[in-house]
Amino acid sequence: METPDSIQLEAVKRSKGLEWLMTVDHKRLGVMYICSGLFFFVVAGIMASLIRIQLAVPQNDFLPPDTFNRMFTMHGTSMVFLVGMPIIAGMANFLVPLMVGTRDMALPRLNAFGFWIFLFGGCLLYYSYIGGPGLYGAGSAPDVGWFAYAPLTSKAFSRGHTVDYWALSLILTGIGSLATAANIIVTVFCLRCKGMTMFRLPLFVWMMLVTAFLMVLALPPLSAAQIMLLLDRFLGAGFFDTQEGGSAVIWQHFFWIFGHPEVYILIMPGFAVASEVIPVFSRKPIFGYPVMVAASIMITFISLGVWAHHMFTVGMTSVANVFFATSTLLIAIPTGIKIFNWLGTMWGGKIRFATPMLFCMGFLFQFLASGLTGVMLAIVPFDWQLSDSYFVVAHFHYVLVGGLLFTIFAAIYYWYPKVTGRMLSEKIGKMHFWIFVLGFNMTFGVQHILGILGMPRRIYTYDTDRGWDLWNMISSIGVIFQGIAILLFIYNILSSLRKGKEAGPDPWDAWTLEWATSSPPPSYNFAKLPEVKSRRPLWDEKHPDDPDWRHE
Amino acid sequence: MVLFSAVAMRAEEEIHNIQNIFEPTSTPAEGILEIAWVVLTICAGIFVVVAGLMVYAIIRFRAKKDDDGSEPAQVYGSNQIEMAWTVIPLLIVLVLVFVTARKTITIQNMPFPEGTLEVNIIGHQWWWEVEYPQYGFITANEIHIPVSEGDIKRPTIINLESADVIHSFWVPKLGGKRDVVPNYPNQIWYEPDETGIYLGNCAEFCGTQHANMQIRVVVQTPEDFEAWLKNQQTPPREDASVATGRRMFESLACISCHAIGEKGANNGFGPDLTHLMSRQTIGAGVADTNYDDIHQWLKDPDSLKPGCYMPDMKLTDDQLKHLTEYLLTLH
């Protein structure tokens, strides 16, 4: 058959590797994004394990203080910018065009550019370990924390080029994220297939769309702040230098104007996955679709006005403190709506507990817990005790691991058959899930207690008599289970690539358009662009007696 | 006799090592706990209800083994139910906002009578300079404040400034934390109702030795506190037996960073050592004020606190001995 694909192959004979390098296909870029994200996940995970070894016992000298400080800086920076962001970008890249029923992203070359500049930024960040000159001519990684508070990052307190590496590499990955975000927005607005109105978009696409808007709004302040920081460091501009009349607090405002929406940039795709997986495995449509969309938009708006809740201890006026507490608490409402609507979706269904659904269930409980600790942290006086303690460490790991990572696992188990044409092993998947749930809750659950007992964040050692020994030991032991689970996961991915059961186009009996094409999809996605009449086009096809469009 | 009373200046209060925020001993910390209980009760209630519903749904609605493969009833939503789970959380949020606003304003805008005890704290990488402006002396890392007795409240205002980067001052049992920001004066207050020694730590990452930037707050009876104040205000004793050590302190570089009494750099670069032995630790909590620890500190500060700004002065054994003996007389 003469497909566009085979014509292209006739014209230019490329090697397989070169084809991946030069591709502008959204699916391949998606896969490349996710694979690089998983690679950095392993690297940053190893750092986390080293951090936990150091903290397992009091007065440990496994890592010297500066090495420890570099580890938590690189761990945090990597997990946010080189793991969370690219995996999200990868999922959006692979799925959005398929779900809206089109052949590619709106701007395929910008898409490829975005990926490569992200990867370059990531490599540049790690190059700091060997690239000089650090403090004494040797290379060294940033050691100022992922939030890089001024004036610790000024020339006076961070000599060498470590902070420059931090700023430059994140400006680059930021450009990559903006390219992805622009692409998602244009694709969703301009390339939907016939009949796909905005209110027939799968919720996954809706949430990726609002995430893309958040990226466009939140990333530029970070890049601006980083450029200001570089101007301070190279040209003595004095934005953040208190000796020159600059302000250290201004950096925090800039950073968290980015940093708080960033939390939603990371968790909203988690919501997106849950909103696809839970209905399919409950065998019911999502409960209250319009409200889910409205809640996502509300979260987007409110999340732009809550940044200073990271700064309750900075010494703002009580009026400002109360304002930001109020806006933060308001976010609990749309987030609560989402949780209730997922619950409503499960209610009265016939729930199948395949691995993707298991991970979504883990997500629901853990995200509920993290949401409630988030409410506690929004209470200004309570935050005066808890902020920058291990309670906060526990809280945001429940959001980002218990929320985002669990849904990323769900997504990989759910869409792996679509990407590769083969199923992941359910048996290993279930082992992966249970061991990871155990390890994750063991590691981070007890950290709530450490915070209540007054253990501050980012300390490399502690004394024996503070009552922290036992909890730190339990926390570190949990990492062993997490590590085993991740090894099982990696083994599953690699071995199923060859040995996995053939998936067929629609192994989960799902309803959205990506399941309407073969697995893996051809490079042009659909032989004939689809036409939809409802939110669940495949349901309509499978149930002509009771199609969805009758209920819309 | 003089020596005896000087030794007695060192605080003998019980050390509260475990800084559980649920066992506060000072007015602002108690206020925080009050609101913490309200929030915890509400959040725990929500968790139990919602998680309970989830567990119920998971058990009740799981697909049965003998399922016929038919699809369940397709329900698309319900306006009434969705309205309910929007309005109820909104009401809870309004309650939380109200209690938060009230407590925040009471703690943050507390009025104090004229003449309230003030302590100025200046954060340094990685130690705390402590100044009593009303009494005109400077000490380090250890803050003494009086306890309230019954109805007689004795609040202390703590003014916070930083000499370099951002630190955060946090003694959990006495009150929340407050950041110590350069060029941005901050304030926190305590009103302790139990004597004892309370530990705390810098809570904002401030560089290499962020972990060892510990704080000790010694809460004393008003009499003990007065005695301590008096001791801190007296000039250091000139003990003839350690004259060699004293001369070495002045002739070696020590004096360019540390002050003892009127002598030495009052530039705040290193901690003031005037009444060193009235404190319990050196290096902001890393070691004790005894012969061995001080000797080790002078010999190789990095062995106790790697990365700290006290240099290894490459002192000879003789110099180490004399200097240590001199420092040990600074009661």
Side-chain angles (χ1 to χ4, degrees):
Chain A
M1 200 174 83
E2 287 260 301
T3 62
D5 203 29
S6 61
I7 295 166
Q8 193 188 16
L9 279 178
E10 271 315 301
V12 190
K13 287 254 187 269
R14 290 171 178 159
S15 75
K16 254 214 157 124
L18 199 63
E19 243 177 71
W20 279 87
L21 279 181
M22 300 180 71
T23 186
V24 291
D25 178 2
H26 72 100
K27 296 181 290 302
R28 288 196 165 177
L29 287 167
V31 171
M32 277 149 69
Y33 260 122
I34 292 169
C35 291
S36 353
L38 290 177
F39 169 76
F40 284 117
F41 172 71
V42 171
V43 174
I46 291 171
M47 291 190 177
S49 314
L50 296 175
I51 290 170
R52 280 313 323 168
I53 293 174
Q54 166 67 17
L55 291 173
V57 288
Q59 308 274 18
N60 198 359
D61 51 12
F62 173 72
L63 294 177
D66 276 331
T67 311
F68 182 89
N69 297 341
R70 286 187 191 118
M71 291 261 162
F72 76 66
T73 303
M74 293 294 274
H75 164 75
T77 308
S78 306
M79 284 297 191
V80 171
F81 294 100
L82 308 181
V83 180
M85 297 292 270
I87 292 183
I88 289 163
M91 291 197 296
N93 252 308
F94 193 96
L95 292 167
V96 167
L98 284 168
M99 284 181 163
V100 302
T102 184
R103 299 201 191 281
D104 203 332
M105 283 290 210
L107 313 157
R109 290 204 221 191
L110 179 68
N111 206 10
F113 169 77
F115 169 74
W116 290 108
I117 200 163
F118 144 74
L119 194 62
F120 178 67
C123 295
L124 184 66
L125 182 65
Y126 275 86
Y127 182 71
S128 64
Y129 264 113
I130 42 174
L135 188 44
Y136 299 106
S140 54
D143 60 352
V144 289
W146 86 283
F147 46 89
Y149 274 8
L152 186 61
T153 44
S154 67
K155 264 277 186 256
F157 304 107
S158 287
R159 284 175 288 162
H161 283 316
T162 60
V163 172
D164 306 327
Y165 276 105
W166 179 84
L168 284 169
S169 57
L170 294 192
I171 290 173
L172 292 176
T173 62
I175 293 172
S177 302
L178 284 178
T180 306
N183 235 326
I184 294 172
I185 294 171
V186 183
T187 307
V188 173
F189 280 139
C190 303
L191 294 184
R192 281 166 291 141
C193 67
K194 206 169 169 205
M196 180 75 81
T197 61
M198 286 305 276
F199 273 89
R200 284 183 190 154
L201 283 178
L203 276 180
F204 182 93
V205 178
W206 255 114
M207 289 182 202
M208 285 297 182
L209 179 67
V210 295
T211 307
F213 273 109
L214 261 187
M215 286 186 192
V216 171
L217 292 167
L219 281 167
L222 176 69
S223 304
Q226 285 167 328
I227 289 166
M228 287 155 82
L229 178 63
L230 290 172
L231 289 173
D232 266 16
R233 289 178 59 83
F234 285 101
L235 302 175
F239 288 112
F240 309 119
D241 185 349
T242 48
Q243 308 277 319
E244 301 244 1
S247 165
V249 178
I250 277 288
W251 168 269
Q252 296 189 24
H253 281 291
F254 268 104
F255 186 82
W256 291 117
I257 282 172
F258 148 78
H260 196 82
E262 171 69 14
V263 175
Y264 289 90
I265 291 174
L266 290 171
I267 196 63
M268 207 92 82
F271 298 168
V273 172
S275 303
E276 291 305 315
V277 172
I278 291 177
V280 167
F281 289 89
S282 305
R283 308 307 306 156
K284 280 179 64 209
I286 190 83
F287 193 87
Y289 174 99
V291 178
M292 289 296 257
V293 173
S296 307
I297 296 171
M298 253 175 92
I299 291 174
T300 312
F301 276 111
I302 307 174
S303 77
L304 290 165
V306 302
W307 74 89
H309 72 210
H310 297 262
M311 298 165 63
F312 286 151
T313 63
V314 124
M316 297 183 297
T317 61
S318 50
V319 176
N321 279 339
V322 171
F323 172 82
F324 284 105
T326 308
S327 57
T328 305
L329 287 167
L330 281 178
I331 278 207
I333 298 168
T335 317
I337 291 174
K338 282 184 179 276
I339 291 186
F340 287 123
N341 276 16
W342 290 318
L343 186 60
T345 307
M346 288 155 61
W347 209 268
K350 287 184 180 177
I351 307 173
R352 301 182 312 201
F353 287 98
T355 314
M357 187 63 172
L358 279 182
F359 275 104
C360 281
M361 293 300 100
F363 156 80
L364 274 190
F365 284 98
Q366 285 152 187
F367 184 70
L368 173 65
S370 71
L372 292 170
T373 53
V375 167
M376 293 178 204
L377 288 167
I379 307 301
V380 180
F382 206 11
D383 182 84
W384 288 337
Q385 289 282 22
L386 297 173
S387 108
D388 274 325
S389 77
Y390 258 76
F391 191 91
V392 170
V393 179
H395 161 71
F396 72 75
H397 280 91
Y398 265 76
V399 178
L400 294 178
V401 181
L404 174 62
L405 186 62
F406 268 69
T407 48
I408 286 176
F409 285 140
I412 291 176
Y413 279 92
Y414 184 60
W415 280 296
Y416 185 90
K418 180 51 60 185
V419 176
T420 63
R422 288 178 191 273
M423 307 292 287
L424 283 169
S425 155
E426 276 287 300
K427 210 171 119 198
I428 303 178
K430 283 183 173 143
M431 274 160 65
H432 166 200
F433 171 76
W434 287 110
I435 298 173
F436 199 75
V437 163
L438 174 72
F440 163 75
N441 285 291
M442 207 169 149
T443 299
F444 297 106
V446 296
Q447 289 183 359
H448 293 107
I449 303 169
L450 281 169
I452 285 165
L453 295 178
M455 180 162 162
R457 290 168 80 171
R458 304 167 184 132
I459 57 172
Y460 78 100
T461 189
Y462 53 94
D463 283 331
T464 35
D465 54 5
R466 305 297 295 272
W468 302 337
D469 309 19
L470 174 69
W471 307 116
N472 271 303
M473 182 50 96
I474 294 174
S475 180
S476 296
I477 291 171
V479 172
I480 300 172
F481 292 98
Q482 293 191 60
I484 293 171
I486 298 298
L487 287 177
L488 283 172
F489 169 64
I490 293 170
Y491 170 78
N492 200 358
I493 284 193
L494 295 178
S495 70
S496 301
L497 211 50
R498 297 207 177 286
K499 289 185 288 185
K501 207 170 77 192
E502 294 268 355
D506 183 16
W508 306 113
D509 193 6
W511 304 309
T512 36
L513 280 181
E514 77 271 28
W515 306 105
T517 179
S518 64
S519 308
S523 68
Y524 45 87
N525 290 352
F526 302 97
K528 180 171 170 289
L529 284 185
E531 193 181 332
V532 301
K533 285 184 173 168
S534 77
R535 283 169 205 148
R536 296 191 297 169
L538 271 64
W539 170 275
D540 295 349
E541 212 168 279
K542 290 167 193 169
H543 300 270
D545 47 315
D546 180 29
D548 247 10
W549 47 264
R550 273 198 206 145
H551 302 276
E552 273 179 24
Chain B
M1 187 59 209
V2 176
L3 186 68
F4 174 75
S5 64
V7 171
M9 284 305 111
R10 195 159 145 165
E12 299 297 337
E13 275 82 10
E14 184 205 348
I15 299 189
H16 298 265
N17 283 315
I18 296 177
Q19 299 298 310
N20 187 343
I21 63 172
F22 284 96
E23 290 166 4
T25 58
S26 161
T27 310
E30 282 152 8
I32 293 173
L33 183 59
E34 252 170 60
I35 191 171
W37 279 123
V38 175
V39 180
L40 269 176
T41 315
I42 293 176
C43 288
I46 297 174
F47 186 84
V48 169
V49 171
V50 179
L53 287 171
M54 286 181 198
V55 170
Y56 177 78
I58 286 173
I59 295 170
R60 171 75 178 70
F61 301 111
R62 66 184 312 157
K64 307 287 177 303
K65 280 236 161 58
D66 55 350
D67 191 75
D68 57 359
S70 67
E71 303 282 12
Q74 302 293 300
V75 180
Y76 296 85
S78 151
N79 288 339
Q80 287 93 338
I81 296 175
E82 285 166 67
M83 189 59 90
W85 64 46
T86 310
V87 172
I88 295 169
L90 181 66
L91 295 176
I92 297 176
V93 162
L94 289 179
V95 171
L96 287 174
V97 166
F98 176 71
V99 292
T100 306
R102 218 173 62 155
K103 195 54 92 182
T104 307
I105 291 163
T106 355
I107 296 180
Q108 208 174 339
N109 303 347
M110 177 83 171
F112 294 100
E114 198 76 8
T116 303
L117 176 66
E118 290 196 40
V119 184
N120 296 342
I121 307 267
I122 300 159
H124 292 263
Q125 282 180 316
W126 294 278
W127 62 281
W128 305 93
E129 187 178 342
V130 182
E131 187 192 0
Y132 285 73
Q134 290 138 319
Y135 300 93
F137 66 88
I138 290 175
T139 173
N141 298 326
E142 204 174 282
I143 301 149
H144 289 241
I145 55 174
V147 71
S148 297
E149 291 172 308
D151 292 339
I152 307 165
K153 298 290 179 201
R154 294 183 204 275
T156 303
I157 298 173
I158 297 177
N159 300 309
L160 302 161
E161 249 290 2
S162 167
D164 37 50
V165 301
I166 298 178
H167 306 276
S168 190
F169 186 84
W170 186 30
V171 183
K173 287 183 96 162
L174 297 181
K177 63 180 73 66
R178 192 58 44 90
D179 290 354
V180 181
V181 188
N183 216 1
Y184 189 94
N186 261 337
Q187 223 175 48
I188 192 168
W189 62 278
Y190 295 148
E191 197 177 74
D193 45 36
E194 221 177 279
T195 59
I197 296 170
Y198 299 93
L199 303 183
N201 206 92
C202 175
E204 187 60 79
F205 181 67
C206 56
T208 310
Q209 276 295 344
H210 167 59
N212 285 314
M213 189 165 164
Q214 296 170 31
I215 308 157
R216 264 162 202 257
V217 178
V218 182
V219 177
Q220 296 175 299
T221 60
E223 300 77 49
D224 286 354
F225 177 67
E226 285 300 324
W228 178 82
L229 276 183
K230 200 154 276 161
N231 181 55
Q232 296 293 315
Q233 287 168 291
T234 50
R237 218 157 40 88
E238 302 260 325
D239 189 332
S241 66
V242 290
T244 325
R246 186 160 58 239
R247 273 200 307 281
M248 281 178 179
F249 182 86
E250 288 164 20
S251 59
L252 296 166
C254 316
I255 203 158
S256 45
C257 299
H258 297 283
I260 294 180
E262 294 298 306
K263 290 178 190 143
N266 260 320
N267 56 12
F269 192 80
D272 182 297
L273 301 178
T274 312
H275 292 278
L276 176 68
M277 295 308 289
S278 72
R279 304 172 207 158
Q280 296 173 330
T281 65
I282 53 172
V286 288
D288 292 332
T289 41
N290 59 38
Y291 185 92
D292 289 345
D293 282 8
I294 293 180
H295 189 273
Q296 181 63 29
W297 180 259
L298 296 178
K299 193 173 162 200
D300 182 10
D302 252 29
S303 67
L304 295 172
K305 196 166 176 173
C308 73
Y309 288 136
M310 165 101 173
D312 178 357
M313 301 299 294
K314 308 268 190 283
L315 302 169
T316 64
D317 287 350
D318 201 42
Q319 287 170 327
L320 282 170
K321 179 169 160 289
H322 285 297
L323 271 174
T324 311
E325 280 169 359
Y326 167 54
L327 292 177
L328 284 174
T329 66
L330 299 173
H331 289 290

